[in-house]
Every structure is written in structure tokens, then in C-alpha cells.
Amino acid sequence: MNKKLIITFLLGLLLLFVAACGSSDDGDTEEADNANDETEEAADDTESTDGTDESGDKEVYTVATDNAYVPFEYLDEESGELVGFDIDLITALAEEAGIEIEIETLEFSGIVAGLGSGKFDIGIAGMTITEERKESIDFTQPYYEAGLILAVNEENVDEIKSIDDVDGKVVATRVGSTSEEYLKENTDAKPEAFPEIVEAYQNVLAGRADAVLYDLPNVQYYSEKEAGGKLITVGEKLTGEDYGIGFPKGSEIRDKIDEALTTLKENGTYDDIYEKWFGDRPEGT
Ligand code: ARG
């Protein structure tokens, strides 16, 4: 009897020991690991089928921009690379928001439509926030305050002193831009809209057009850096033109990018990028 008891006791001890070893032996953890693996696999599956990760976010977002809008986005003459204020800004915003982006360039006039149809996820191209565009795409808060300005060939400064003098004149601009719209709605000028704004400037410089109407930062940059002082801005800055970053309607990353923009405006990153491309910021902006 005693022996039996001892054996039972020992067996019991042995069982306890094995059980204890079992748990320290990763038995349970392994099961948990397997479960994790499965979740990971499930997530992997989603990744491979629709390019999203487990949180439903896409891995790489396509950014549509232009390649001929100094100094916001243009091809650097020496390196051939796409550079500019918008490029630096969207790169910093993507980093802040923790997303990956891939930049694609196309004609400016195709960007709003491409966002509207969901072909691109993000659009940044010195694009003015307008009521009309808001019908088909969503925007962030404004990230740059521009405005339109008229410019003429240096020989024309006495004839065209402001927008009030353009009636009946040929005024060049870019197709699909807010300037084209402005000319049609507010003046009796003869608008001539080119696919690339550089063509508009060249026509004015060659005397084939009387003036050009376009976004002030672009006109200023072109006239200083490219036109050797022969393209002169005249009159006051017209209209407020707030630039916004565009998205397809209802986009899930608009808010993320908008929050990142607020952060970059607050932490000085926005100012650094601004100063790199435009010099010191004017007071109160
Ligand atoms: N701000 C104007 C607009 O939204 C002109 C923008 C031109 N931008 C460009 N990347 N070409 O219509």
C-alpha cells in the first residue's frame, strides 16, 4: 500500500514536472506564434492582392504633378531631376504622415480629371482651390497663397499698365488655368491659352502676344531667372489664389496629409522649404 502511494505520489510529481517544463518549453507560445503567423499570412495576402496593408492603407500612393512650373515643380537643367517647392513639400508631408509616394508627371490640365477619376491618389501642382474643382476633388487646407499678375514685354509698359488696359489685346496664358478663366470672365481681352506656360512667355517676349496673365510666383521667377528682365509685371496682384493639395473625393488620406501639413507649418519644416525656394517669408504670412 505504502509503495503504491509513493509511486502515485512520484508519478504525480513527474506529471507536474512535465507540465511545468511544457509551459516553459514554449508549447503555448508556439501556438500563439502560429496564430500570429496566420494573421501575418492573411495580411500578406491582402497586400499582394490589392496593395493594402492590414490597416487598409495603401503601400505606395501615386502623386500627380506637372514638370514645367517654376519654382514649384520643374526639371532641373543639370540633373534632369524633378525639383521644386511642391516636390520638397510633398516628400516631407509623406514622411510626416508615414506613407510612401511615387511621383508621376503629366500635363497640368489633366491633373484634376485624373484625381477625380481616382487614377491618382494625390495631386500637387500649384493648384488653386476653386469652387468648381471642389465639385470633383477634395483639397487640403491652403499651403501657399499666390495670386495672378499681368506681365508685358518691356516695350509695352506704357501701353498696358494694368488689367484695365487689356481689352482687345491678345493675352497669353496656360490652358485649363485659373488665369484663362479669369480672362474670359473678367475682361474683353483675347485669351490665347498654351499647353505650356513657357510658350506664353515666349510669345510675349517675341511680340506675338501683348501680355501674359499667370500666377505671380511663376511669372516673377521666370522673369528674373529666364527672361533677363525683359518681361515686366504690371499692375496689382489680382485675386486670391490659395494652392491646395488635391485628392479623389472621399480619400482616406486627405486628413492624414492635412494634419501633417499643420504639423510642418508648426514645427518650422514648412518655413525651411519656403525659404529654400522663395527666400524670406513676407511679414504676416
Ligand atoms: N494656379 C493655377 C491653377 O490652379 C495655375 C497652376 C499651374 N500649375 C502647374 N503646375 N502648371 O489653375
Side-chain angles (χ1 to χ4, degrees):
M1 273 299 253
N2 260 352
K3 254 191 194 168
K4 253 192 187 172
L5 236 151
I6 290 167
I7 287 169
T8 325
F9 179 65
L10 282 177
L11 265 175
L13 260 185
L14 194 72
L15 264 174
L16 268 176
F17 181 67
V18 169
C21 283
S23 60
S24 69
D25 189 33
D26 261 347
D28 294 346
T29 353
E30 225 170 271
E31 263 170 43
D33 276 356
N34 282 340
N36 273 342
D37 283 347
E38 271 155 36
T39 351
E40 260 164 42
E41 269 165 32
D44 282 352
D45 283 346
T46 348
E47 260 167 31
S48 55
T49 51
D50 70 356
T52 59
D53 63 19
E54 59 261 60
S55 63
D57 288 348
K58 272 202 190 177
E59 294 206 309
V60 180
Y61 291 88
T62 50
V63 176
T65 189
D66 179 20
N67 65 10
Y69 189 56
V70 289
F72 293 89
E73 49 265 343
Y74 63 100
L75 298 175
D76 180 73
E77 269 177 28
E78 273 161 35
S79 67
E81 275 184 33
L82 186 68
V83 295
F85 177 80
D86 282 349
I87 308 304
D88 285 352
L89 184 64
I90 197 65
T91 307
L93 286 171
E95 202 179 304
E96 178 64 35
I99 62 162
E100 276 202 41
I101 53 168
E102 196 176 86
I103 298 181
E104 275 185 41
T105 60
L106 69 152
E107 272 211 5
F108 175 74
S109 41
I111 296 178
V112 173
L115 288 170
S117 69
K119 188 168 172 213
F120 309 109
D121 304 306
I122 305 172
I124 186 165
M127 193 160 54
T128 305
I129 304 171
T130 67
E131 288 309 313
E132 193 186 336
R133 289 174 183 163
K134 275 205 267 183
E135 282 170 20
S136 57
I137 64 174
D138 287 346
F139 283 101
T140 54
Q141 59 182 297
Y143 71 87
Y144 186 96
E145 201 187 304
L148 306 181
I149 193 81
L150 193 68
V152 298
N153 185 315
E154 58 177 350
E155 282 152 27
N156 263 346
V157 282
D158 292 331
E159 208 184 328
I160 303 176
K161 296 197 170 90
S162 79
I163 196 77
D164 299 331
D165 303 325
V166 298
D167 290 353
K169 305 278 184 204
V170 174
V171 182
T173 190
R174 190 187 210 291
V175 69
S177 66
T178 43
S179 294
E180 187 186 17
E181 190 87 3
Y182 184 95
L183 288 168
K184 287 183 185 159
E185 290 198 349
N186 303 291
T187 73
D188 285 322
K190 293 181 204 142
E192 207 175 319
F194 295 91
E196 295 293 343
I197 193 62
V198 179
E199 295 170 65
Y201 295 138
Q202 284 165 352
N203 270 275
V204 174
L205 289 171
R208 288 191 293 269
D210 299 304
V212 54
L213 182 71
Y214 209 45
D215 297 48
L216 176 88
N218 184 260
V219 177
Q220 245 167 13
Y221 198 93
Y222 186 88
S223 107
E224 279 166 27
K225 306 248 156 129
E226 318 268 342
K230 291 191 163 61
L231 188 75
I232 319 279
T233 59
V234 291
E236 300 278 296
K237 178 168 114 172
L238 309 166
T239 74
E241 300 265 320
D242 284 336
Y243 292 172
I245 301 165
F247 305 85
K249 274 231 165 282
S251 157
E252 18 98 39
I253 48 159
R254 193 215 79 99
D255 289 357
K256 258 194 204 173
I257 299 285
D258 194 64
E259 276 163 31
L261 181 55
T262 305
T263 308
L264 298 195
K265 281 180 177 177
E266 281 167 7
N267 72 12
T269 308
Y270 177 92
D271 287 349
D272 291 345
I273 299 174
Y274 187 99
E275 273 154 35
K276 172 176 168 191
W277 294 101
F278 303 104
D280 282 345
R281 300 195 65 182
E283 285 293 312
T285 62

